Amino acid sequence: MKDLFDYCEFGDLKLNSRIVRTGLWESEREKTGNLTPEIYNRYENIAASGVGLIITELYSLYPRDVFSKYSNTTNYARFVREARDLTDLVHVYDVPIFAQLGMVQYSKKTEQNIAIDDVSIEDIRKIQTDMIMAAQKFDYGGFDGIQIGLGNYYFLSRFINPNFNSRKDRYGGSTLNRLKIVLEIIKVIKETTNLHINCRLNAFDGTTNGMTLTETIEVAKILEKYGADSLQITRPRSPQFFTRENKEKNPLIEASEQIIKNVNIPVILGGGATTQNQINEILNTTDIDYISMQRPFVADPSFLVDWQLEGNGETKCKTCNNCYWKKTSTCFINRSAKWDVKSEIPKKS
């Protein structure tokens, strides 16, 4: 039987458990972009808790993007030095860490939120260059991998989506053509860094002419063929879907299983699980081997320690979604709590 605390492999990486921590907002950074002691402490507590893989809070590609004031950036002088301090700290606990990179809109000068069909070839080359340069900084900073944001309603998720992309050039039309902007980025990152490349991908989007699961499976197969090392499956507005009041079966489970059947790279189920028993049931009744969690780590960065010690754990997160709506990396319900668990890590036999 599989257990969430199994030692396991994730491509070429070794994980201490099957739990992937996915980040979202970074509200504790300094205005200059520099990492604060609170950020280092939070990441150390997460790494010490028994997590398998850490995916950082969002690094925004552009300083004037929609979410840039709620996220970190690579564009400050001490980024590589501070990134190396952070990754070294996480690696003390034998936990790999990926940097999550995304952009929501593409803007230039006075033109804001340029439509996919109006993005020029020059613009595409700039976006690709900027993403590749960010990836190289992540590599210099000691990250094990990069997560490219192809999910939710981020820019690249719309670029590959036929509902938004009706271009007539080589970056429009077929699934392969719509993916070329990403595939060319992956190719250069592979050639110039040692990073594991993870792609965060919508299972479907529900728009009239948008991505269906069938096309997402085709996208996943192409991404694998052209060098992606793993996938994380999400949906456009997942925090709005995953609430305690919503008793509907998580549709991402079936979608992830279908994708897993069609690729030979690791696939992470993105969100929706809140208890230890629920996660183990998913692991043992499906082909899913990895499950990501975001808000539970906001509520308590060290909750996995209690789960290992006591069993039958349940997250402290109440799915109030305040951390999502207010775009903060701290919990409004448990904000007065303090965690420091480095001396309480249970030993595995």
Side-chain angles (χ1 to χ4, degrees):
M1 289 182 62
K2 291 186 287 186
D3 184 83
L4 70 92
F5 290 114
D6 288 339
Y7 288 116
C8 54
E9 294 183 352
F10 188 85
D12 292 334
L13 301 171
K14 308 292 185 184
L15 306 189
N16 294 325
S17 75
R18 300 181 184 275
I19 299 297
V20 177
R21 180 274 194 171
T22 300
L24 189 57
W25 313 118
E26 187 55 85
S27 62
E28 293 186 321
R29 78 203 190 292
E30 295 179 357
K31 289 183 179 179
T32 55
N34 297 74
L35 304 185
T36 64
E38 289 80 11
I39 292 174
Y40 288 112
N41 187 58
R42 170 160 34 97
Y43 275 93
E44 183 172 16
N45 281 332
I46 294 171
S49 71
V51 73
L53 167 67
I54 293 175
I55 301 175
T56 68
E57 314 289 0
L58 175 67
Y59 281 94
S60 185
L61 185 62
Y62 294 122
R64 291 189 297 166
D65 197 20
V66 172
F67 295 142
S68 61
K69 65 180 180 180
Y70 311 112
S71 55
N72 217 322
T73 176
T74 64
N75 300 314
Y76 64 95
R78 286 183 53 82
F79 170 77
V80 172
R81 177 65 268 167
E82 292 189 352
R84 176 65 69 172
D85 290 340
L86 178 65
T87 55
D88 284 350
L89 184 64
V90 169
H91 288 154
V92 167
Y93 300 93
D94 296 323
V95 175
I97 180 169
F98 294 178
Q100 178 188 170
L101 181 66
M103 56 182 288
V104 180
Q105 300 175 350
Y106 180 66
S107 305
K108 58 180 182 180
K109 298 181 180 178
T110 58
E111 297 178 78
Q112 302 295 309
N113 195 15
I114 300 172
I116 301 302
D117 290 352
D118 296 331
V119 174
S120 69
I121 297 297
E122 247 182 25
D123 296 331
I124 288 174
R125 293 293 173 262
K126 174 172 172 50
I127 292 165
Q128 290 176 320
T129 300
D130 291 341
M131 292 197 75
I132 292 162
M133 289 176 65
Q136 290 171 344
K137 287 184 179 181
F138 293 143
D139 192 33
Y140 297 148
F143 286 97
D144 302 283
I146 180 174
Q147 182 178 82
I148 300 175
L150 308 183
N152 310 110
Y153 278 125
Y154 284 9
F155 175 84
L156 290 175
S157 76
R158 299 198 309 279
F159 202 105
I160 69 177
N161 189 321
N163 189 54
F164 299 95
N165 183 339
S166 54
R167 299 173 66 97
K168 304 302 181 186
D169 61 7
R170 63 183 181 275
Y171 290 99
S174 69
T175 303
L176 179 62
N177 282 356
R178 283 182 276 114
L179 268 173
K180 277 184 179 178
I181 185 174
V182 179
L183 303 180
E184 290 167 352
I185 291 170
I186 290 174
K187 180 177 186 295
V188 179
I189 292 176
K190 281 288 189 182
E191 291 174 349
T192 59
T193 76
N194 294 312
L195 295 173
H196 177 117
I197 298 178
N198 173 273
C199 293
R200 186 169 181 169
L201 188 65
N202 288 334
F204 40 77
D205 65 18
T207 57
T208 304
N209 300 306
M211 298 286 290
T212 63
L213 178 56
T214 299
E215 182 153 26
T216 297
I217 290 171
E218 183 62 24
V219 168
K221 291 161 68 175
I222 293 172
L223 287 171
E224 178 186 20
K225 179 179 178 180
Y226 284 84
D229 297 297
S230 63
L231 305 171
Q232 180 175 353
I233 308 305
T234 187
R235 53 186 289 140
R237 292 190 174 96
S238 54
Q240 300 175 45
F241 175 81
F242 295 128
T243 64
R244 294 196 183 233
E245 290 73 29
N246 193 333
K247 303 301 182 183
E248 177 187 346
K249 182 181 177 182
N250 181 0
L252 292 188
I253 294 176
E254 182 178 350
S256 296
E257 282 205 277
Q258 291 301 314
I259 294 167
I260 288 167
K261 286 180 171 64
N262 284 275
V263 297
N264 294 306
I265 54 177
V267 176
I268 305 166
L269 169 65
T274 59
T275 72
Q276 192 167 355
N277 288 342
Q278 182 185 9
I279 292 171
N280 280 329
E281 181 179 0
I282 293 170
L283 292 173
N284 286 290
T285 59
T286 72
D287 295 324
I288 294 166
D289 289 326
Y290 315 96
I291 295 179
S292 74
M293 306 177 83
Q294 185 262 325
R295 291 171 298 173
F297 284 103
V298 179
D300 178 354
S302 306
F303 73 94
L304 289 177
V305 171
D306 291 336
W307 284 25
Q308 289 187 73
L309 291 171
E310 300 170 7
N312 193 25
E314 183 172 356
T315 175
K316 294 178 182 177
C317 176
K318 304 301 181 185
T319 59
C320 67
N321 280 334
N322 274 322
C323 62
Y324 177 77
W325 299 121
K326 297 180 182 179
K327 300 177 178 58
T328 173
S329 50
T330 55
C331 180
F332 287 80
I333 293 175
N334 298 301
R335 58 187 170 184
S336 62
K338 300 291 182 183
W339 300 280
D340 189 0
V341 299
K342 295 184 287 295
S343 62
E344 301 176 25
I345 310 166
K347 304 294 185 194
K348 291 188 181 181
S349 55

Coordinates of all heavy atoms in Angstrom, one line a residue, residues 148-221:
I148 N 6.7 26.2 -14.7 CA 6.2 27.2 -15.7 C 4.7 27.2 -15.6 O 4.0 26.2 -15.7 CB 6.6 26.8 -17.1 CG1 8.2 26.8 -17.2 CG2 6.1 27.8 -18.1 CD1 8.7 26.3 -18.5
G149 N 4.1 28.4 -15.4 CA 2.7 28.6 -15.2 C 1.9 28.5 -16.5 O 1.8 29.5 -17.2
L150 N 1.4 27.3 -16.8 CA 0.5 27.1 -18.0 C -0.9 26.9 -17.6 O -1.8 26.5 -18.4 CB 1.0 25.9 -18.8 CG 2.4 25.9 -19.3 CD1 2.7 24.6 -20.1 CD2 2.8 27.1 -20.0
G151 N -1.2 27.2 -16.3 CA -2.6 26.9 -15.8 C -3.2 28.2 -15.3 O -2.7 29.3 -15.5
N152 N -4.4 28.0 -14.7 CA -5.2 29.1 -14.2 C -5.5 30.0 -15.4 O -5.8 29.5 -16.5 CB -4.6 29.8 -13.0 CG -4.1 28.7 -12.0 OD1 -2.9 28.5 -11.8 ND2 -5.1 28.1 -11.3
Y153 N -5.6 31.3 -15.3 CA -5.7 32.1 -16.4 C -4.5 33.0 -16.7 O -4.6 34.1 -17.1 CB -7.0 33.0 -16.3 CG -8.3 32.3 -16.6 CD1 -9.3 32.3 -15.7 CD2 -8.4 31.7 -17.8 CE1 -10.5 31.6 -16.0 CE2 -9.6 31.0 -18.1 CZ -10.6 31.0 -17.2 OH -11.8 30.3 -17.5
Y154 N -3.3 32.4 -16.4 CA -2.1 33.1 -16.7 C -1.9 33.2 -18.2 O -2.5 32.5 -19.0 CB -0.9 32.3 -16.1 CG -0.8 32.5 -14.6 CD1 -1.8 33.1 -13.9 CD2 0.3 32.0 -13.9 CE1 -1.7 33.3 -12.5 CE2 0.4 32.2 -12.5 CZ -0.6 32.8 -11.8 OH -0.4 33.0 -10.5
F155 N -1.0 34.1 -18.6 CA -0.8 34.4 -20.0 C -0.6 33.2 -20.9 O -1.2 33.0 -21.9 CB 0.4 35.4 -20.1 CG 0.8 35.8 -21.5 CD1 0.1 36.7 -22.2 CD2 1.8 35.1 -22.2 CE1 0.4 37.1 -23.5 CE2 2.1 35.4 -23.5 CZ 1.4 36.4 -24.2
L156 N 0.4 32.3 -20.5 CA 0.7 31.2 -21.3 C -0.5 30.2 -21.4 O -0.6 29.5 -22.4 CB 2.0 30.5 -20.8 CG 3.2 31.3 -21.0 CD1 4.5 30.6 -20.4 CD2 3.5 31.6 -22.5
S157 N -1.3 30.1 -20.3 CA -2.4 29.2 -20.4 C -3.4 29.7 -21.4 O -4.1 28.9 -22.1 CB -3.1 29.1 -19.0 OG -3.9 30.2 -18.7
R158 N -3.5 31.0 -21.6 CA -4.4 31.6 -22.6 C -3.8 31.4 -24.0 O -4.5 31.2 -25.0 CB -4.7 33.0 -22.3 CG -5.5 33.3 -21.0 CD -6.1 34.6 -20.9 NE -5.3 35.7 -21.2 CZ -4.4 36.3 -20.4 NH1 -4.3 35.8 -19.2 NH2 -3.7 37.3 -20.8
F159 N -2.5 31.6 -24.0 CA -1.8 31.5 -25.3 C -2.0 30.1 -26.0 O -2.2 30.0 -27.2 CB -0.3 31.7 -25.2 CG 0.4 32.2 -26.5 CD1 0.7 33.5 -26.7 CD2 0.7 31.2 -27.5 CE1 1.3 33.9 -27.9 CE2 1.3 31.6 -28.6 CZ 1.6 33.0 -28.8
I160 N -2.0 29.0 -25.1 CA -2.1 27.7 -25.7 C -3.6 27.3 -25.8 O -3.9 26.1 -26.3 CB -1.4 26.7 -24.8 CG1 -2.0 26.5 -23.4 CG2 0.1 27.1 -24.7 CD1 -1.3 25.4 -22.6
N161 N -4.5 28.1 -25.5 CA -5.9 27.8 -25.4 C -6.6 28.3 -26.7 O -6.6 29.5 -27.0 CB -6.6 28.5 -24.2 CG -8.0 28.1 -23.9 OD1 -8.8 27.9 -24.8 ND2 -8.3 27.9 -22.7
P162 N -7.3 27.5 -27.4 CA -8.0 27.9 -28.7 C -9.1 28.9 -28.5 O -9.5 29.6 -29.5 CB -8.5 26.6 -29.3 CG -8.6 25.7 -28.1 CD -7.5 26.0 -27.2
N163 N -9.6 29.0 -27.3 CA -10.6 30.0 -27.0 C -10.0 31.5 -27.1 O -10.7 32.4 -27.3 CB -11.3 29.8 -25.7 CG -12.5 30.7 -25.4 OD1 -13.4 30.7 -26.2 ND2 -12.4 31.4 -24.3
F164 N -8.7 31.6 -26.8 CA -8.0 32.9 -26.8 C -7.1 33.1 -28.0 O -6.8 34.2 -28.3 CB -7.3 33.1 -25.5 CG -8.1 33.0 -24.2 CD1 -8.3 31.8 -23.5 CD2 -8.8 34.2 -23.8 CE1 -9.1 31.8 -22.4 CE2 -9.6 34.1 -22.7 CZ -9.7 32.9 -22.0
N165 N -6.6 32.0 -28.5 CA -5.6 32.1 -29.6 C -6.2 31.7 -30.9 O -6.5 30.5 -31.1 CB -4.4 31.1 -29.2 CG -3.3 31.2 -30.2 OD1 -3.5 31.6 -31.4 ND2 -2.1 30.7 -29.8
S166 N -6.4 32.7 -31.8 CA -6.9 32.4 -33.1 C -5.9 32.9 -34.1 O -6.2 33.4 -35.2 CB -8.3 33.0 -33.4 OG -8.3 34.3 -33.1
R167 N -4.6 32.9 -33.7 CA -3.5 33.4 -34.6 C -3.4 32.7 -35.9 O -3.7 31.5 -35.9 CB -2.2 33.4 -33.8 CG -2.1 34.2 -32.5 CD -0.8 33.9 -31.8 NE 0.3 34.4 -32.6 CZ 0.9 35.6 -32.3 NH1 0.5 36.4 -31.4 NH2 2.0 35.9 -33.1
K168 N -2.9 33.3 -36.9 CA -2.8 32.7 -38.2 C -1.4 32.4 -38.6 O -1.1 31.8 -39.6 CB -3.4 33.6 -39.3 CG -4.9 34.0 -39.1 CD -5.8 32.8 -39.0 CE -7.2 33.2 -38.7 NZ -8.1 32.1 -38.5
D169 N -0.4 32.7 -37.7 CA 1.0 32.4 -37.9 C 1.4 31.1 -37.3 O 0.5 30.3 -37.0 CB 1.9 33.6 -37.4 CG 1.8 33.8 -35.9 OD1 1.1 32.9 -35.2 OD2 2.3 34.7 -35.4
R170 N 2.7 30.8 -37.2 CA 3.1 29.5 -36.7 C 2.9 29.3 -35.3 O 3.2 28.2 -34.7 CB 4.6 29.3 -37.1 CG 5.6 30.3 -36.4 CD 7.0 30.0 -36.9 NE 8.0 30.9 -36.3 CZ 8.3 32.1 -36.7 NH1 7.7 32.6 -37.8 NH2 9.3 32.8 -36.1
Y171 N 2.4 30.3 -34.5 CA 2.1 30.2 -33.1 C 0.6 30.1 -32.9 O 0.1 30.3 -31.8 CB 2.7 31.4 -32.3 CG 4.2 31.4 -32.3 CD1 4.9 32.1 -33.2 CD2 4.8 30.5 -31.4 CE1 6.3 32.1 -33.1 CE2 6.2 30.5 -31.3 CZ 6.9 31.3 -32.2 OH 8.3 31.2 -32.1
G172 N -0.2 29.8 -33.9 CA -1.6 29.6 -33.8 C -2.1 28.4 -34.6 O -1.3 27.8 -35.4
G173 N -3.3 28.0 -34.4 CA -3.9 26.9 -35.2 C -3.9 25.6 -34.4 O -4.6 25.4 -33.4
S174 N -3.0 24.7 -34.8 CA -2.9 23.3 -34.1 C -2.5 23.4 -32.7 O -1.9 24.4 -32.3 CB -2.0 22.4 -34.9 OG -0.7 22.8 -34.8
T175 N -2.7 22.3 -32.0 CA -2.2 22.2 -30.6 C -0.7 22.4 -30.5 O -0.2 23.2 -29.7 CB -2.6 20.9 -30.0 OG1 -4.0 20.7 -30.1 CG2 -2.2 20.8 -28.5
L176 N 0.0 21.8 -31.4 CA 1.5 21.9 -31.4 C 1.9 23.3 -31.7 O 2.8 23.8 -31.0 CB 2.0 21.0 -32.5 CG 3.6 21.0 -32.7 CD1 4.3 20.6 -31.4 CD2 4.0 20.1 -33.9
N177 N 1.2 24.0 -32.6 CA 1.6 25.4 -32.9 C 1.4 26.3 -31.8 O 2.2 27.2 -31.5 CB 0.9 25.9 -34.2 CG 1.4 25.4 -35.5 OD1 2.5 24.7 -35.5 ND2 0.8 25.7 -36.6
R178 N 0.2 26.1 -31.1 CA -0.1 27.0 -29.9 C 0.9 26.8 -28.8 O 1.1 27.6 -27.9 CB -1.5 26.8 -29.5 CG -2.5 27.4 -30.4 CD -4.0 27.2 -29.9 NE -4.5 26.0 -30.4 CZ -4.9 25.0 -29.7 NH1 -4.7 25.0 -28.3 NH2 -5.3 23.9 -30.2
L179 N 1.5 25.6 -28.8 CA 2.4 25.2 -27.7 C 3.9 25.7 -28.0 O 4.7 25.6 -27.1 CB 2.4 23.7 -27.5 CG 1.5 23.2 -26.4 CD1 1.5 21.7 -26.4 CD2 1.9 23.7 -25.0
K180 N 4.1 26.1 -29.2 CA 5.5 26.4 -29.7 C 6.2 27.4 -28.8 O 7.4 27.3 -28.5 CB 5.5 26.8 -31.1 CG 5.5 25.6 -32.1 CD 5.6 26.1 -33.5 CE 5.6 24.9 -34.5 NZ 5.7 25.3 -35.9
I181 N 5.5 28.4 -28.4 CA 6.1 29.4 -27.5 C 6.7 28.8 -26.2 O 7.7 29.2 -25.8 CB 5.0 30.5 -27.1 CG1 5.7 31.7 -26.3 CG2 3.9 30.0 -26.4 CD1 4.8 32.9 -26.1
V182 N 6.0 27.8 -25.7 CA 6.4 27.1 -24.5 C 7.5 26.1 -24.8 O 8.5 26.0 -24.1 CB 5.3 26.4 -23.8 CG1 5.7 25.6 -22.6 CG2 4.2 27.4 -23.5
L183 N 7.4 25.4 -25.9 CA 8.3 24.3 -26.3 C 9.7 24.9 -26.6 O 10.7 24.3 -26.2 CB 7.8 23.5 -27.5 CG 6.5 22.9 -27.3 CD1 6.1 22.1 -28.6 CD2 6.4 21.9 -26.1
E184 N 9.7 26.1 -27.2 CA 11.0 26.8 -27.5 C 11.7 27.2 -26.2 O 12.9 27.2 -26.1 CB 10.7 27.9 -28.4 CG 10.4 27.4 -29.8 CD 9.8 28.5 -30.7 OE1 9.6 29.6 -30.3 OE2 9.6 28.2 -31.9
I185 N 10.9 27.7 -25.2 CA 11.4 28.0 -23.9 C 12.0 26.8 -23.2 O 13.1 26.9 -22.7 CB 10.3 28.6 -23.0 CG1 9.9 30.0 -23.6 CG2 10.8 28.8 -21.6 CD1 8.6 30.6 -22.9
I186 N 11.3 25.7 -23.2 CA 11.7 24.5 -22.6 C 13.1 24.0 -23.2 O 14.0 23.6 -22.5 CB 10.7 23.4 -22.7 CG1 9.5 23.7 -21.8 CG2 11.3 22.0 -22.3 CD1 8.3 22.8 -21.9
K187 N 13.2 24.1 -24.5 CA 14.4 23.6 -25.2 C 15.6 24.4 -24.7 O 16.6 23.8 -24.4 CB 14.2 23.8 -26.7 CG 15.4 23.4 -27.6 CD 15.1 23.5 -29.1 CE 16.2 23.0 -29.9 NZ 17.5 23.7 -29.8
V188 N 15.5 25.7 -24.6 CA 16.7 26.5 -24.3 C 17.0 26.3 -22.8 O 18.2 26.2 -22.4 CB 16.5 28.0 -24.6 CG1 17.7 28.8 -24.2 CG2 16.2 28.2 -26.1
I189 N 16.0 26.2 -21.9 CA 16.2 26.0 -20.5 C 16.9 24.7 -20.3 O 17.9 24.5 -19.5 CB 14.9 26.0 -19.7 CG1 14.3 27.4 -19.7 CG2 15.1 25.5 -18.3 CD1 13.0 27.5 -19.0
K190 N 16.5 23.6 -21.1 CA 17.2 22.3 -21.0 C 18.6 22.4 -21.4 O 19.5 21.8 -20.9 CB 16.4 21.3 -21.9 CG 15.2 20.8 -21.3 CD 15.5 19.8 -20.2 CE 14.3 19.1 -19.7 NZ 14.6 18.2 -18.6
E191 N 18.9 23.2 -22.4 CA 20.2 23.3 -23.0 C 21.2 24.2 -22.1 O 22.4 24.0 -22.2 CB 20.2 24.0 -24.4 CG 19.6 23.1 -25.4 CD 19.4 23.8 -26.8 OE1 19.6 25.0 -26.8 OE2 19.1 23.1 -27.8
T192 N 20.6 25.1 -21.3 CA 21.5 26.0 -20.6 C 21.4 25.9 -19.1 O 22.2 26.6 -18.4 CB 21.1 27.5 -21.0 OG1 19.7 27.7 -20.6 CG2 21.3 27.7 -22.4
T193 N 20.6 25.0 -18.5 CA 20.5 24.8 -17.1 C 20.4 23.4 -16.7 O 20.3 22.5 -17.6 CB 19.3 25.6 -16.5 OG1 18.1 24.8 -16.7 CG2 19.1 27.0 -17.0
N194 N 20.5 23.1 -15.4 CA 20.3 21.7 -14.9 C 18.9 21.6 -14.3 O 18.7 20.6 -13.5 CB 21.4 21.4 -13.9 CG 22.7 21.3 -14.6 OD1 22.9 20.7 -15.6 ND2 23.7 22.0 -14.0
L195 N 18.0 22.5 -14.6 CA 16.7 22.5 -13.9 C 15.7 21.4 -14.3 O 15.6 21.1 -15.5 CB 16.0 23.9 -14.1 CG 16.7 25.1 -13.5 CD1 16.0 26.4 -14.0 CD2 16.8 25.0 -12.0
H196 N 15.0 20.8 -13.4 CA 13.9 20.0 -13.6 C 12.8 21.0 -14.1 O 12.5 22.0 -13.5 CB 13.5 19.3 -12.4 CG 12.2 18.4 -12.5 ND1 12.2 17.1 -12.3 CD2 10.9 18.8 -12.7 CE1 11.0 16.6 -12.4 NE2 10.2 17.6 -12.6
I197 N 12.1 20.6 -15.2 CA 11.0 21.5 -15.7 C 9.6 20.9 -15.4 O 9.3 19.8 -15.9 CB 11.2 21.8 -17.2 CG1 12.5 22.5 -17.5 CG2 10.0 22.6 -17.7 CD1 12.8 22.7 -18.9
N198 N 8.9 21.6 -14.6 CA 7.5 21.2 -14.3 C 6.6 22.2 -14.9 O 6.8 23.4 -14.9 CB 7.3 21.2 -12.7 CG 5.8 20.9 -12.4 OD1 5.0 21.9 -12.3 ND2 5.5 19.7 -12.1
C199 N 5.5 21.7 -15.5 CA 4.5 22.6 -16.1 C 3.2 22.5 -15.4 O 2.7 21.3 -15.2 CB 4.3 22.2 -17.6 SG 5.7 22.6 -18.6
R200 N 2.7 23.6 -14.9 CA 1.4 23.6 -14.2 C 0.3 23.8 -15.3 O 0.3 24.9 -16.0 CB 1.4 24.7 -13.2 CG 0.1 24.8 -12.3 CD 0.3 25.7 -11.2 NE -0.8 25.8 -10.3 CZ -0.8 26.4 -9.1 NH1 0.3 26.9 -8.7 NH2 -1.9 26.4 -8.4
L201 N -0.6 22.9 -15.4 CA -1.5 22.8 -16.6 C -3.0 22.7 -16.1 O -3.3 21.9 -15.2 CB -1.1 21.6 -17.4 CG -1.7 21.3 -18.8 CD1 -1.3 22.4 -19.7 CD2 -1.2 20.0 -19.3
N202 N -3.9 23.4 -16.8 CA -5.3 23.2 -16.6 C -5.8 21.9 -17.1 O -5.4 21.5 -18.3 CB -6.1 24.3 -17.2 CG -6.0 25.7 -16.6 OD1 -5.7 25.8 -15.4 ND2 -6.2 26.7 -17.3
A203 N -6.5 21.1 -16.3 CA -7.1 19.9 -16.9 C -8.2 20.2 -17.9 O -8.3 19.5 -18.9 CB -7.8 19.1 -15.7
F204 N -8.9 21.3 -17.7 CA -9.9 21.8 -18.6 C -10.3 23.2 -18.2 O -9.8 23.6 -17.1 CB -11.2 20.9 -18.6 CG -11.5 20.4 -17.2 CD1 -12.1 21.3 -16.3 CD2 -11.2 19.2 -16.7 CE1 -12.4 20.9 -15.0 CE2 -11.5 18.8 -15.4 CZ -12.1 19.6 -14.6
D205 N -11.0 23.9 -19.0 CA -11.3 25.3 -18.5 C -12.8 25.7 -18.6 O -13.2 26.7 -18.0 CB -10.5 26.3 -19.2 CG -10.8 26.4 -20.7 OD1 -11.8 25.9 -21.1 OD2 -9.9 26.9 -21.5
G206 N -13.6 24.9 -19.3 CA -15.0 25.2 -19.3 C -15.5 26.3 -20.2 O -16.7 26.6 -20.2
T207 N -14.6 26.9 -20.9 CA -15.0 28.0 -21.8 C -15.5 27.4 -23.1 O -15.3 26.2 -23.4 CB -13.8 28.9 -22.2 OG1 -12.7 28.2 -22.7 CG2 -13.3 29.7 -20.9
T208 N -16.3 28.1 -23.9 CA -17.0 27.6 -25.0 C -16.1 26.8 -26.0 O -16.4 25.7 -26.4 CB -17.7 28.8 -25.8 OG1 -18.5 29.4 -24.8 CG2 -18.6 28.2 -26.9
N209 N -15.0 27.5 -26.4 CA -14.2 26.8 -27.4 C -12.8 26.5 -26.8 O -11.8 26.5 -27.5 CB -14.0 27.7 -28.6 CG -15.3 28.0 -29.3 OD1 -16.1 27.0 -29.7 ND2 -15.7 29.3 -29.5
G210 N -12.7 26.3 -25.5 CA -11.5 26.2 -24.8 C -10.9 24.8 -24.7 O -11.3 23.9 -25.5
M211 N -10.1 24.6 -23.7 CA -9.4 23.4 -23.5 C -10.3 22.3 -22.9 O -10.9 22.5 -21.8 CB -8.2 23.6 -22.5 CG -7.2 24.5 -23.1 SD -6.2 23.8 -24.4 CE -5.2 22.6 -23.5
T212 N -10.4 21.2 -23.6 CA -11.1 20.0 -23.0 C -10.0 19.1 -22.5 O -8.9 19.2 -22.7 CB -11.9 19.3 -24.1 OG1 -11.0 18.8 -25.1 CG2 -12.9 20.2 -24.8
L213 N -10.5 18.1 -21.7 CA -9.5 17.1 -21.2 C -8.8 16.4 -22.3 O -7.6 16.1 -22.2 CB -10.3 16.1 -20.3 CG -9.4 15.0 -19.7 CD1 -8.2 15.6 -18.9 CD2 -10.2 14.1 -18.8
T214 N -9.5 16.1 -23.4 CA -8.9 15.4 -24.5 C -7.7 16.2 -25.1 O -6.7 15.7 -25.4 CB -9.9 15.2 -25.7 OG1 -11.0 14.4 -25.2 CG2 -9.3 14.5 -26.9
E215 N -7.9 17.5 -25.2 CA -6.8 18.3 -25.7 C -5.7 18.5 -24.7 O -4.5 18.5 -25.0 CB -7.3 19.7 -26.2 CG -6.2 20.5 -26.8 CD -6.6 21.6 -27.8 OE1 -7.8 22.0 -27.7 OE2 -5.8 22.0 -28.6
T216 N -6.1 18.6 -23.4 CA -5.1 18.7 -22.4 C -4.2 17.4 -22.4 O -3.0 17.5 -22.2 CB -5.7 18.8 -21.0 OG1 -6.5 20.1 -21.0 CG2 -4.7 18.9 -19.9
I217 N -4.8 16.3 -22.6 CA -4.0 15.0 -22.7 C -3.0 15.2 -23.9 O -1.8 14.8 -23.8 CB -4.9 13.8 -22.9 CG1 -5.6 13.6 -21.6 CG2 -4.1 12.6 -23.3 CD1 -6.7 12.5 -21.7
E218 N -3.4 15.7 -25.0 CA -2.6 15.9 -26.1 C -1.4 16.9 -25.8 O -0.3 16.7 -26.1 CB -3.4 16.4 -27.3 CG -2.5 16.6 -28.6 CD -1.9 15.3 -29.1 OE1 -2.5 14.2 -28.8 OE2 -0.9 15.4 -29.8
V219 N -1.8 18.0 -25.1 CA -0.8 18.9 -24.6 C 0.2 18.3 -23.7 O 1.4 18.5 -23.9 CB -1.5 20.1 -23.9 CG1 -0.4 21.0 -23.2 CG2 -2.3 21.0 -24.9
A220 N -0.2 17.4 -22.8 CA 0.7 16.8 -21.9 C 1.6 15.9 -22.6 O 2.8 15.8 -22.3 CB -0.2 15.9 -20.9
K221 N 1.2 15.1 -23.6 CA 2.0 14.3 -24.4 C 3.1 15.0 -25.2 O 4.3 14.6 -25.3 CB 1.2 13.4 -25.4 CG 0.3 12.4 -24.6 CD -0.8 11.9 -25.5 CE -0.4 11.1 -26.6 NZ -1.6 10.5 -27.4

